[in-house]
Amino acid sequence: MPIVAFDATPREPMPGRRDLLRGTLSEFVAMTLFVFFGCGAAASNAHFSDGDWDPASVTVIALQFGLAITVLVYATAHTSGGHVNAAVTLGLTVSGKCHPIRGAAYFIAQMLGSIAGAAILKGATHGDAGGEDLDRSGSLGSNGLQNASVNLHNAVAFEFVGTFLLMYTVLETAVNGQSLCTDGESSILGNKLSIAPLPIGTPSSGRAGGRTRPCAAR
C-alpha cells in the first residue's frame, strides 16, 4: 500500500531541477523581503511604556508582518508554493505535501534569505538621525520576552499554540483537497484559491517575541 499525504492524496513527487531552482530562488527573495520589511517595522516602530511594549506599537508591527507575509505568499504561490516560513516547510514536508528534497532546499534558502534581509536592514538602519537611533529596538526588531515576569515556560506555551494554529490553518485551507478553499486541488503549487493565513498577531507577539516565524527570530 503506497504511503499517502495526510489528506489521503498522493505525496508530492520528486520535483524537477528547473522547478526546484525556481522555487528555491523565490523562497530566498521572499524571505529576504519579509525579514527586511517585517523586522524593519519593528526596528522603526519600537516604543516602550514603563518597560513594556506600547500596545499601539505592537499593533502596527503585527499588521506589517501580517500584510507582508500575505503579499509575499500571493507573489510566490505559483513558483514555490509561498511557504516563506521554515515551520510551514517542515510541516508540509512531514505531512507529505512537500518533497524532502524541496523542503531541504527551501530551508537553506529561507535561512540565507533571513541573513540577507537582516544584513540589508542592518545597513539601512546604521547610524542615527538627529541623535536618535534609526533602530529603536536596538536589535534589528528581533524582540525578546515582554518583561521579567514572563519566563521560558510561558514563552514556549504561547509559541506552541501559535505555531499549531499556523500549521493547522495551512494544512486545512491551502493543501487539503477537501477544503472549500482549494476546489479539489491538494497541491500548494497548484492551489489558486486559498487565502494565505494572516498572522496579524497573537499574545505571543509581546509575550514570547512572536517566534512562530523562525527566520524573523533571533
Side-chain angles (χ1 to χ4, degrees):
M1 182 177 179
I3 301 177
V4 296
F6 79 102
D7 61 347
T9 58
R11 299 176 72 89
E12 188 199 27
M14 175 73 178
R17 182 178 179 182
R18 181 179 179 182
D19 177 42
L20 182 61
L21 289 176
R22 184 176 64 171
T24 302
L25 179 60
S26 293
E27 286 295 306
F28 172 79
V29 173
M31 186 58 70
T32 299
L33 294 173
F34 180 59
V35 169
F36 178 79
F37 286 104
C39 294
S44 60
N45 290 286
H47 295 282
F48 303 91
S49 176
D50 296 326
D52 286 345
W53 279 80
D54 181 73
S57 178
V58 172
T59 301
V60 169
I61 295 169
L63 282 172
Q64 174 71 8
F65 268 106
L67 293 173
I69 194 64
T70 300
V71 169
L72 291 170
V73 166
Y74 272 108
T76 60
H78 64 292
T79 53
S80 71
H83 293 202
V84 204
N85 190 310
V88 170
T89 298
L90 176 61
L92 291 176
T93 300
V94 172
S95 65
K97 292 300 182 177
C98 178
H99 192 277
I101 297 297
R102 185 190 295 278
Y106 279 14
F107 176 78
I108 294 173
Q110 290 160 355
M111 294 300 107
L112 293 177
S114 65
I115 294 173
I120 297 172
L121 180 60
K122 178 68 174 179
T125 58
H126 178 71
D128 56 61
E132 183 178 0
D133 289 336
L134 296 178
D135 179 9
R136 294 177 176 174
S137 68
S139 59
L140 293 182
S142 55
N143 55 330
L145 302 182
Q146 185 180 29
N147 54 47
S149 65
V150 180
N151 60 38
L152 181 61
H153 298 92
N154 301 140
V156 170
F158 275 106
E159 289 304 305
F160 178 83
V161 175
T163 304
F164 179 85
L165 172 62
L166 171 67
M167 279 312 307
Y168 179 73
T169 304
V170 170
L171 290 174
E172 293 299 338
T173 62
V175 295
N176 192 331
Q178 302 177 36
S179 170
L180 295 176
C181 300
T182 60
D183 195 28
E185 176 58 68
S186 63
S187 169
I188 195 169
L189 285 169
N191 180 9
K192 302 297 189 299
L193 297 179
S194 69
I195 298 177
L198 226 177
I200 292 179
T202 64
S204 66
S205 294
R207 297 284 180 185
R211 291 196 172 97
T212 52
R213 303 170 297 273
C215 294
R218 268 193 275 227

